[in-house]
Amino acid sequence: MKSFPNQESIVKAILNGIQTAKTNYTFWTADQLYLSYASENFLTIHIAQEIAKIENPPEIFLDATVADILRCSLPNRSDFKEFMYEKKISQGTFSLTLDTRMEHISDNDSISKAIISVHNGVRNAKEEYQNEIHRLCKMLDYPEKKYSTLEFGVFAFYLDISSSARKKSQKRIEEIVSKFDSIVQEYDNIQSTFKGGEIETIQNIGEWSVGCYIIEPK
């Protein structure tokens, strides 16, 4: 079994992946700004490619279900239904799930360590995104490390706006992070940080930015 890469290297890969997606989209379409027109899978694939470049990379799964992630992170794999019921988590998927890389003995011995939710065209903290922050918190809300192998979750996003937008990117990001922070504060065992958020300006066209909102147990 190999060691799982640290959070810093994974977050850096996520940010680099979205930035590479922006570069490629601009090259392939000649559209200098609106990567937000692309599908979220376009971002997800680029992120996965960057994570795969990390030294001793994790195992990477696209669109793993909540049930499968819980099976691979709870001490007792059969407790996932009870966990979902108690936390009021419905079945669904996460864009990327990162597991410890290991030689498998069976198809039921994976160890999930991180979950990543990827979103494109994020310009405000709309209800859909707030619900996703709640879902990430519920997956990671436990009092002691022994209750789950999950170490952290990430809400990764790309934002772009035209130069004519009245509310600029910096203000939008501040409001998004503030709203997400208020949600995290509802959970006793959760803490959060924000990485990225640098504003890139294309003269007379608009602004774009990449961010990672990171959620982890205290």
Side-chain angles (χ1 to χ4, degrees):
M1 184 184 296
K2 296 184 178 179
S3 61
F4 190 76
N6 61 38
Q7 182 187 113
E8 181 180 1
S9 65
I10 291 171
V11 171
K12 182 179 179 181
I14 295 170
L15 295 171
N16 287 343
I18 301 178
Q19 290 164 354
T20 301
K22 170 68 175 66
T23 300
N24 286 343
Y25 190 80
T26 297
F27 180 76
W28 295 337
T29 67
D31 191 322
Q32 295 185 56
L33 181 62
Y34 292 111
L35 170 62
S36 57
Y37 289 158
S39 70
E40 288 175 347
N41 279 344
F42 187 81
L43 273 65
T44 300
I45 293 299
H46 281 82
I47 292 170
Q49 289 173 335
E50 288 297 321
I51 293 174
K53 296 176 185 177
I54 297 173
E55 185 176 359
N56 295 323
E59 295 181 356
I60 305 169
F61 293 91
L62 276 67
D63 297 326
T65 66
V66 168
D68 282 343
I69 295 166
L70 292 174
R71 283 193 191 99
C72 297
S73 58
L74 296 176
N76 188 335
R77 290 174 182 264
S78 63
D79 286 346
F80 72 95
K81 289 183 179 178
E82 182 180 355
F83 185 97
M84 292 173 68
Y85 177 77
E86 289 181 353
K87 301 276 189 175
K88 297 180 180 178
I89 305 175
S90 58
Q91 184 62 286
T93 63
F94 282 95
S95 307
L96 290 165
T97 304
L98 309 182
D99 288 8
T100 299
R101 185 168 290 274
M102 58 190 289
E103 183 176 344
H104 292 273
I105 299 171
S106 74
D107 62 356
N108 195 37
D109 61 356
S110 296
I111 303 172
S112 294
K113 305 284 278 187
I115 46 180
I116 304 167
S117 182
V118 181
H119 298 268
N120 195 8
V122 173
R123 297 186 177 94
N124 53 63
K126 63 183 182 180
E127 186 175 2
E128 172 190 341
Y129 306 145
Q130 294 179 48
N131 290 339
E132 188 65 353
I133 296 298
H134 275 294
R135 191 167 73 126
L136 285 163
C137 286
K138 290 175 181 178
M139 294 286 287
L140 291 153
D141 183 28
Y142 47 86
E144 296 180 49
K145 189 174 183 179
K146 65 181 181 181
Y147 287 96
S148 175
T149 62
L150 287 177
E151 295 182 356
F152 62 93
V154 180
F155 182 100
F157 68 89
Y158 172 82
L159 173 153
D160 59 26
I161 59 167
S162 71
S163 55
S164 62
R166 289 186 293 176
K167 185 183 292 186
K168 300 304 180 184
S169 298
Q170 187 61 50
K171 181 65 174 176
R172 291 174 184 271
I173 291 173
E174 289 171 0
E175 291 179 353
I176 290 167
V177 172
S178 177
K179 186 61 181 180
F180 289 178
D181 284 347
S182 69
I183 293 171
V184 169
Q185 290 168 10
E186 297 178 25
Y187 297 84
D188 294 335
N189 304 308
I190 296 295
Q191 60 188 2
S192 62
T193 53
F194 179 69
K195 298 288 180 65
E198 293 80 10
I199 310 301
E200 302 290 340
T201 301
I202 304 172
Q203 190 172 4
N204 300 322
I205 295 177
E207 301 174 339
W208 63 275
S209 185
V210 175
C212 283
Y213 191 85
I214 305 153
I215 297 169
E216 59 189 328
K218 291 181 180 177

